[in-house]
Amino acid sequence: MEQQKTSIVDKWKIFSLGTLLGFLVFVIYLDKVHQDISLLAAKNVMLDLIPFKLSNPSFESSNKDRKKCNMYDGRWVYRPEERPSYDSFKCPFVEEKMSCQENGRPESEYEKWRWEARDCDIPVFNGTDMLERLRNKRMILAGDSLNRNMWESLACLLFTSIPSSAVDVNEIKGYQKLWKAKEYNFTLEFYWCPFLIEINNNHESGKKVLVLDKLTTDAGKWRGADIMVFNSGHWWDLKGTRRAWELFEFEGKVSQDMPIEIAYERGLKTWATWIEKNVDPSKTKVVFRSNSPWHQYDQWCYNKTQPLVVDSYKPLFPQSMVDVVEGVIKGMSKSQVKYLNVTKLSESRIDAHPSMYRYKDWNTLAEKYGNKLNNYVDCSHWCLPGVPDTWNRLLYASLFFEIFEDLPSS
């Protein structure tokens, strides 16, 4: 009888131990599956054609409580097999001065670098998916020529994803551009307004006046857009005769001596106030792109074919003005503005500017002007295909994949 009880106890112990081990294996399996789903979601969800209004429940729920990924913290990786997403010779939206290969640049190494985040995988840009998400919608980019550079990149990325017959260029005049993907009923527009506020060239003073508390007259055309992408920075920091204004006006008073940081802040707050009064954040996504670095003076882009060593770039755009724009965005109470912080990741790309290859006759100019080429070399805009394609890849990730961080960070 005693042996029978011992046998039962032993069997119960074995059963309990087996159950516990089985449970642990099951928990480990669930955790492994959860991790795999999260990883695969981050890598492959961009391939799923999900309508803009719908969400991916499994992706959202599995990442809801996760720490967001800073996709702006990473490095450029050289990939000799890398091919650009479009051909500048075939895309009708690339300005001549950005089409470096067509203008005779002898190498294309600048096209073979891919940005990789430190702690996560960034989705590869998928133009067909983006168009599907933007079906029956309208997207605008407004700002200076660097945002036009970005608009051209995005137009080419999307244009390459659909037959050319499916695109309708309704208007290209002056500093306004618009095209429509007919099958998707989607329009992509650009408005050139480098300050986002009004510059009065017919002021009663006879001077060119930057009106800090009045938005650009193009603002009315922004209304109703489903996605808005803004930038403003370079034109504020121009010196001497390169400045587009001579006086500031604020609250009806004209002045000449105003610290540029104060003027910049007042101008951006005028824009921010308009956004908060006119944009419903439940219907419209608003993005502000950070300053695009340029490589001039002692870090000249002329004849450069390799990126700078990490952290060797000397910023030309004042940190005080960076602090202004980030402070304005953080201070907005109603509208959540996404901050596309491309400054740091673009700083090392001294190799990717048009330089002399913004001109078809670059070799003639080089021979004629020799050591005075600094008047002709473009070290602020970017060759296309090129760096702005990465900006648009990050824009795509920021808009449609909630795991990626979009709050301002220095």
Side-chain angles (χ1 to χ4, degrees):
M1 188 68 176
E2 188 67 24
Q3 289 180 343
Q4 186 176 3
K5 287 182 179 180
T6 302
S7 177
I8 292 173
V9 170
D10 290 341
K11 288 180 179 179
W12 176 250
K13 288 180 178 179
I14 293 171
F15 174 77
S16 299
L17 181 60
T19 302
L20 179 60
L21 289 173
F23 177 74
L24 289 174
V25 170
F26 181 66
V27 169
I28 292 171
Y29 170 76
L30 285 179
D31 183 65
K32 178 69 166 58
V33 169
H34 176 78
Q35 291 178 0
D36 288 345
I37 289 174
S38 298
L39 180 60
L40 288 172
K43 286 185 175 179
N44 301 322
V45 72
M46 80 292 294
L47 299 176
D48 298 326
L49 300 182
I50 307 168
F52 182 82
K53 291 184 179 179
L54 300 180
S55 62
N56 185 331
S58 62
F59 179 77
E60 294 298 332
S61 61
S62 64
N63 288 285
K64 188 179 296 183
D65 299 321
R66 288 186 57 186
K67 179 181 178 182
K68 287 199 171 185
C69 166
N70 181 2
M71 61 185 175
Y72 309 111
D73 180 22
R75 61 175 184 157
W76 290 97
V77 177
Y78 179 71
R79 297 192 173 193
E81 75 285 354
E82 188 85 355
R83 294 292 179 269
S85 300
Y86 56 89
D87 184 344
S88 62
F89 288 82
K90 296 180 180 178
C91 180
F93 305 107
V94 179
E95 292 179 79
E96 179 182 323
K97 56 192 174 185
M98 309 306 170
S99 187
C100 301
Q101 291 297 307
E102 192 170 357
N103 290 339
R105 181 164 176 164
E107 47 74 41
S108 58
E109 292 301 291
Y110 64 94
E111 297 178 347
K112 298 177 181 179
W113 293 84
R114 175 175 289 195
W115 177 255
E116 292 186 357
R118 189 181 306 277
D119 298 321
C120 56
D121 292 323
I122 305 170
V124 175
F125 185 92
N126 187 321
T128 306
D129 176 46
M130 188 169 185
L131 284 168
E132 188 64 43
R133 293 172 185 270
L134 295 173
R135 184 180 289 276
N136 300 318
K137 297 190 179 294
R138 178 173 164 246
M139 181 175 180
I140 69 159
L141 282 79
D144 60 26
S145 57
L146 274 305
N147 244 23
R148 185 169 69 232
N149 211 173
M150 185 176 177
W151 179 92
E152 291 171 5
S153 162
L154 183 56
C156 288
L157 286 166
L158 296 176
F159 175 77
T160 304
S161 305
I162 55 179
S164 58
S165 59
V167 173
D168 185 14
V169 180
N170 290 336
E171 183 179 2
I172 297 183
K173 66 176 184 179
Y175 292 114
Q176 180 177 335
K177 296 172 179 280
L178 180 150
W179 74 272
K180 182 174 183 177
K182 293 184 286 188
E183 179 185 344
Y184 296 90
N185 191 32
F186 165 68
T187 57
L188 180 66
E189 306 164 30
F190 170 76
Y191 298 96
W192 188 80
C193 42
F195 299 104
L196 300 179
I197 58 174
E198 180 180 304
I199 181 164
N200 186 348
N201 293 319
N202 300 302
H203 195 268
E204 59 185 13
S205 65
K207 304 287 187 179
K208 297 176 182 178
V209 179
L210 196 55
V211 186
L212 302 176
D213 48 5
K214 186 175 182 181
L215 209 61
T216 175
T217 53
D218 271 342
K221 300 174 184 177
W222 306 341
R223 295 178 188 273
D226 299 280
I227 297 177
M228 300 176 173
V229 182
F230 297 96
N231 91 297
S232 185
H234 271 305
W235 282 62
W236 292 86
D237 193 43
L238 296 178
K239 305 292 191 300
T241 57
R242 299 179 66 197
R243 281 187 168 176
W245 77 92
E246 297 168 273
L247 300 173
F248 295 112
E249 181 179 315
F250 184 67
E251 295 181 344
K253 297 180 181 179
V254 175
S255 64
Q256 184 173 12
D257 300 320
M258 182 185 298
I260 193 61
E261 290 83 2
I262 293 177
Y264 188 44
E265 182 175 26
R266 287 174 174 174
L268 287 182
K269 283 185 175 180
T270 298
W271 165 80
T273 299
W274 186 92
I275 293 293
E276 292 190 317
K277 288 182 177 179
N278 294 276
V279 175
D280 182 347
S282 67
K283 297 178 181 179
T284 300
K285 295 184 179 182
V286 180
V287 177
F288 194 98
R289 179 181 59 73
S290 70
N291 187 65
S292 171
W294 66 101
H295 299 82
Q296 203 73 42
Y297 311 119
D298 60 332
Q299 290 181 315
W300 203 27
C301 75
Y302 182 56
N303 278 346
K304 295 296 190 299
T305 58
Q306 293 290 319
L308 286 172
V309 176
V310 177
D311 294 331
S312 65
Y313 176 74
K314 300 173 184 177
L316 296 177
F317 194 72
Q319 181 60 42
S320 58
M321 295 182 71
V322 175
D323 295 340
V324 165
V325 68
E326 294 188 357
V328 169
I329 292 174
K330 288 178 180 178
M332 296 175 71
S333 58
K334 179 182 176 183
S335 300
Q336 293 297 313
V337 175
K338 292 179 178 288
Y339 186 60
L340 196 69
N341 196 357
V342 302
T343 303
K344 188 68 177 176
L345 68 91
S346 305
E347 286 179 348
S348 64
R349 297 307 310 276
I350 194 171
D351 59 312
H353 296 289
S355 185
M356 283 301 294
Y357 304 106
R358 65 173 287 153
Y359 308 101
K360 287 188 180 297
D361 60 343
W362 62 270
N363 50 355
T364 302
L365 289 171
E367 291 176 7
K368 183 176 180 180
Y369 293 102
N371 61 359
K372 295 182 181 179
L373 280 175
N374 57 320
N375 294 324
Y376 299 92
V377 173
D378 185 347
C379 293
S380 58
H381 298 95
W382 304 91
C383 293
L384 292 179
V387 170
D389 302 330
T390 294
W391 298 352
N392 282 311
R393 180 186 172 202
L394 301 185
L395 174 66
Y396 171 65
S398 177
L399 289 173
F400 305 121
F401 301 90
E402 294 300 324
I403 187 176
F404 297 107
E405 187 175 52
D406 54 43
L407 294 176
S409 57
S410 299

